[in-house]
């Protein structure tokens, strides 16, 4: 019995890593314009810490949400080309906004860890709302007079 549960736990962990890997690909490619913009803004030490935090949190968050390890609703697959432009914009806003708020928090509090915590919370909350926002946009696109 114990061997069976270990295999199941191992299989679930491997599946989660699969989701996280594809989330990493999305997070590195889809918000690329925002990431390129972040290389040219001032206060690079705070920006790089907050941007790296937002990308790491987004990667783990998207992988966990998509695999429904944390259930926030149905999440589109990485290969879903219909939602890809929307995901690109949404991830860009999540990463850019989380980074910006993290930098503001870090420079205001003058403590590096405040920027990390604020960034992580903002990105997770924003990404957690993604399925709801997608459903809202899809319902608006089907609305007729």
């Amino acid at each position: 019995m114990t061997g069976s549960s270990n295999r199941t736990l191992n299989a679930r962990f491997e599946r989660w890593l699969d989701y996280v890997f594809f989330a990493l690909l999305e997070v590195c490619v889809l918000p690329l314009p925002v990431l390129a913009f972040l290389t040219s803004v001032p206060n690079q030490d705070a920006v790089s810490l907050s941007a790296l935090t937002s990308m790491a949190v987004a990667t783990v968050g998207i992988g966990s949400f998509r695999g429904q390890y944390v259930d926030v609703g149905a999440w589109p697959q990485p290969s879903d080309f219909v939602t890809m432009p929307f995901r690109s914009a949404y991830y860009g806003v999540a990463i850019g906004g989380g980074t910006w708020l993290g930098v503001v928090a870090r420079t205001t509090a003058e403590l590096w860890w405040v920027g990390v915590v604020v960034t992580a919370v903002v990105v997770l909350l924003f990404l957690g709302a993604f399925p709801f926002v997608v459903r809202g946009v899809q319902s608006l696109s089907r609305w007729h007079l």
Side-chain angles (χ1 to χ4, degrees):
M1 184 94 169
T2 307
S4 174
S5 65
N6 285 341
R7 273 184 294 205
T8 304
L9 181 62
N10 191 36
R12 285 180 50 83
F13 180 68
E14 287 178 1
R15 187 66 182 146
W16 178 76
L17 287 177
D18 188 45
Y19 283 118
V20 169
F21 171 74
F22 284 104
L24 175 64
L25 290 177
E26 283 185 294
V27 167
C28 288
V29 173
L30 294 180
L32 202 52
V34 171
L35 298 176
F37 173 74
L38 290 176
T39 63
S40 64
V41 297
N43 202 358
Q44 279 296 303
D45 59 335
V47 169
S48 51
L49 180 62
S50 290
L52 186 60
T53 301
S54 67
M55 289 181 67
V57 167
T59 299
V60 173
I62 291 168
S64 299
F65 294 150
R66 180 172 285 135
Q68 294 184 333
Y69 293 91
V70 178
D71 191 8
V72 293
W75 200 280
Q77 294 301 313
S79 60
D80 184 5
F81 289 111
V82 174
T83 62
M84 193 171 289
F86 186 71
R87 283 183 290 148
S88 179
Y90 198 89
Y91 294 174
V93 170
I95 289 172
T99 299
W100 178 72
L101 289 172
V103 169
V104 168
R106 178 184 175 183
T107 54
T108 301
E110 297 181 3
L111 298 167
W112 67 268
W113 59 269
V114 173
V116 170
V117 171
V118 168
T119 300
V121 168
V122 167
V123 169
L124 278 178
L125 289 175
F126 199 74
L127 289 174
F130 180 75
F132 175 74
V133 173
V134 168
R135 282 193 306 275
V137 169
Q138 287 173 338
S139 69
L140 282 176
S141 67
R142 292 185 186 111
W143 184 67
H144 295 90
L145 289 172

